[in-house]
Amino acid sequence: MTEAKRTQGAEQGKRFYDRFARKEWERNSGQGLDLTGLGELAAGKGVTHEEALLLLAQPDDIESILAQRLGAASSDEASLQRLLGWSDGQRRLRVTSRADSVARACAGLQRGAQGIGLLRGEELLRDESLLAVYEAWLSCTEDEEERKLKRGRLVYLWTEAWIRLLQAADGKPCSVSLAWDARQAAAPEERLALQDVQLEAMFRAMIRCDQEEIPFELALLALWPMQEEEWLAVYDFIEEVGRQTLGAWWPEAHCKVGALLHPDVRPVDAAGIARSADLVVMDIESASRFHLLQEQQPLGGPARMIELEEPVSDWGGPALQCSRLEEIVDTMRSIKPELDIRAGGDIRPADLRAVYRLGMNEVCCDPEWLTAVRLTGYRLEASQQSAASADEA
């Protein structure tokens, strides 16, 4: 994404919200149709009926059109993929995939995601072989030599898992948060030990990928720092493990360091974090993920235990309803206008108006929603551009 596209985030988001709040921008308003885009696409190999239908559809209709398309045996998949690829080049909003396993990461990338927008570090540990070794290491507290052996085994297996993830990404951006085991919520030293293992495994995976000429672009996310001091401590921790594992190669490693922020972070603290972060992902998940912890899946981040200040709404993601969120994004943009700010979680087409209003320039969604989100994002931007041109005229 170019710098020019990034720097327009907040201002364009406000314009989108103002436009979409007007009565004339509801469905059945023909004013939002953008025929210029259709002409550009037609300059290639012509436009199919299906492409024209999706390209000219109102944003709120795209989801239902795609649902009807799934039941049509005659649907032209090549035509849809051509339209999606074209819309990616026209759209400012970057659309990435949410993943909780290598298989889900592959599914999102195969459906056209522009990277892995969020994978929580602990989620790969749910693999059977990894989980058994992890639990063995966790339970070994008395025999130090045995614990070291189990730690080495865990590092090896986790390294292989990270390599598979980076291979699947094939050079596209991949954002991973530091791991958190909810069973260790009261033991900070154990969480650091787990994150130390995670970072060593990820950095060893980076070395292997570099040696085997596998392209990769990795971003490590500090997990929910609530103050600038916490963020700087995590940043220093990542740097320390990076230097210890990669040595002189660390400064040249293709690794960004960002933050996965809870929507309840204070704007002033978010601004301090944004000052030195390479990117920020706002942690937006469904309501159950914020405060429920399933016993059969004990591994989970703090999102499973801490409730939002704002009540959950049926409209859009619950975190998008947080009254502070707009102020948080505005404050971060005032500090660093070019900062990439991603809505991370289960973003759906109905959430995009709020995303644009808030001034975020990237979203993360489940693989099943990628097609609808990519096209809806394009149509919202095309409608805004068409309206702006009409106002100028």
Side-chain angles (χ1 to χ4, degrees), residues 161-183:
W162 293 124
I163 290 173
R164 291 194 294 272
L165 179 71
L166 294 177
Q167 283 178 324
D170 194 26
K172 291 183 178 179
C174 184
S175 300
V176 180
S177 69
L178 294 190
W180 172 296
D181 185 343
R183 294 173 297 184

Side-chain angles (χ1 to χ4, degrees), residues 25-44:
W25 282 100
E26 296 181 351
R27 314 165 40 136
N28 303 322
S29 169
Q31 189 178 357
L33 302 181
D34 181 15
L35 299 178
T36 304
L38 183 59
E40 292 173 357
L41 184 61

Side-chain angles (χ1 to χ4, degrees), residues 291-353:
H291 56 271
L292 297 182
L293 177 62
Q294 299 179 8
E295 292 183 2
Q296 65 269 27
Q297 290 186 330
L299 287 172
R304 276 69 169 176
M305 296 179 294
I306 302 177
E307 297 185 31
L308 288 175
E309 289 184 353
E310 297 297 309
V312 175
S313 169
D314 291 334
W315 179 84
L320 289 172
Q321 308 303 310
C322 181
S323 58
R324 281 183 179 172
L325 197 53
E326 186 167 9
E327 184 182 358
I328 290 170
V329 174
D330 284 346
T331 305
M332 290 193 294
R333 288 242 179 260
S334 68
I335 295 295
K336 188 184 287 187
E338 75 281 5
L339 180 67
D340 284 327
I341 303 177
R342 180 182 308 148
D346 187 16
I347 294 297
R348 302 189 179 190
D351 299 325
L352 290 183
R353 283 181 170 83

